[in-house]
Amino acid sequence: MTGDTESIALVLNRLRRAQGQLAGVIAMIESGRDCKDVVTQLAAVSKALDRAGFKIVATGLRECITGAETGEKMSEAELEKLFLALA
């Protein structure tokens, strides 16, 4: 992924936060925590990953459309598939 330094830093922060939350979920399961607490924390991990994915797409959309990163433009079908992967 390329893009401006600030956007990349935001994505990395979100992914690190999700990584910490996931470690927390694993620890909760290992310690036998209540199902409701585990699912709530797991939902937070999922949301953090979704937000990171959307930020990556938003940041890289121009590159995807113009082919600036790879030299190849993405087709409309490829862009649609990329968005649907996050849906």
Side-chain angles (χ1 to χ4, degrees):
M1 181 180 148
T2 61
D4 64 274
T5 306
E6 183 179 340
S7 294
I8 291 171
L10 287 172
V11 168
L12 289 173
N13 286 340
R14 287 180 177 163
L15 291 174
R16 287 186 182 106
R17 186 176 311 126
Q19 184 179 31
Q21 290 172 322
L22 184 56
V25 170
I26 292 168
M28 291 171 75
I29 292 171
E30 290 174 341
S31 68
R33 292 279 300 269
D34 182 61
C35 177
K36 181 181 174 187
D37 294 336
V38 172
V39 170
T40 299
Q41 193 63 22
L42 194 56
V45 173
S46 179
K47 185 173 181 178
L49 290 174
D50 287 345
R51 291 181 62 87
F54 289 131
K55 182 66 174 174
I56 289 169
V57 170
T59 300
L61 184 58
R62 182 178 313 268
E63 292 173 7
C64 289
I65 291 171
T66 63
E69 188 175 300
T70 62
E72 296 181 19
K73 288 185 175 185
M74 290 184 75
S75 69
E76 186 175 328
E78 289 171 317
L79 283 170
E80 183 178 350
K81 184 177 180 179
L82 182 63
F83 280 110
L84 290 174
L86 292 171

